[in-house]
Amino acid sequence: MIRAANKEYIILGAGGHGAVIADILTKRSFTIKGFLDDGVAVGTVVMGVKVLGKINLCVNYSECMFIIGVGNNAIRKQIAETYSLEYGSAIHPSAIIGDQVKIGRGSVLMAGCVVNPRTSIGQHCIVNTSASLDHDNTVGDFVHVSPGAVSGGDVRIGAGTHIGIGACVRNGISICSDVVIGAGAVVVKSITEPGVYIGVPAKRKSMGA
């Protein structure tokens, strides 16, 4: 995990995803100073930690490390591009990380996930519960790989893409940026156009469907 010595963490977002990050940091014996969230009242306690105020107050905590605790890729990107902060990562103790794996700042690897050797994960990504990325994957910034999703080897996932719960991506596939792969979909051909892809095999959802 990325952390400067003895620095406390602040989690930006106190919803469900933020709570999971708090649980990971606690299990790794890191200190959490608090949450910042625009929609949760100051003083609210989440996972034993208080909400300190709104997200824009992050600039007042330059001594801390930050993680964006928001599952939505676009919102995570907006926050990261708005506030130049010292972002850390969070890796659950049960995550299995292979040799020569690269993990970008702000990324979160949750319980039971597997990231096999020579895979590169960008910044502010989520590899969620029990997801699996096989060898030599390249994952762009602000990607969310949902619980139970699986990729084969040599897969390329473009920035801002969301791989749905239980989806499968065949080895050697490339997926462009800003794609949504629906839950349970099976991707057997490379995807070159943004959009929503569903089904077995995965096909682009028409606008009127």
Side-chain angles (χ1 to χ4, degrees), residues 14 20 24 31 43 46 50 76 83 134 143 162 181 185-186 195 198 209:
V20 175
I24 293 171
T31 302
V46 178
K50 286 186 177 181
R76 217 162 52 255
Y83 301 106
D134 214 326
V143 166
H162 186 118
I181 304 298
V186 179
I198 60 175

Side-chain angles (χ1 to χ4, degrees), residues 118-122 134-140 154-158:
R118 300 186 306 194
T119 286
S120 176
I121 297 171
D134 214 326
H135 66 87
D136 299 294
N137 277 214
T138 301
V139 179
D154 296 298
V155 168
R156 304 290 182 266
I157 302 174

Side-chain angles (χ1 to χ4, degrees), residues 50-107:
K50 286 186 177 181
V51 175
L52 305 175
K54 293 187 176 182
I55 287 175
N56 62 6
L57 294 180
C58 63
V59 296
N60 297 334
Y61 295 96
S62 59
E63 76 281 5
C64 293
M65 297 284 287
F66 293 84
I67 294 184
I68 303 172
V70 177
N72 182 282
N73 291 342
I75 296 174
R76 217 162 52 255
K77 181 180 180 181
Q78 181 183 34
I79 293 171
E81 292 180 346
T82 300
Y83 301 106
S84 180
L85 304 168
E86 189 173 3
Y87 290 106
S89 62
I91 301 172
H92 195 279
S94 67
I96 299 173
I97 313 297
D99 289 341
Q100 300 180 36
V101 167
K102 297 179 181 178
I103 300 170
R105 288 189 175 273
S107 290

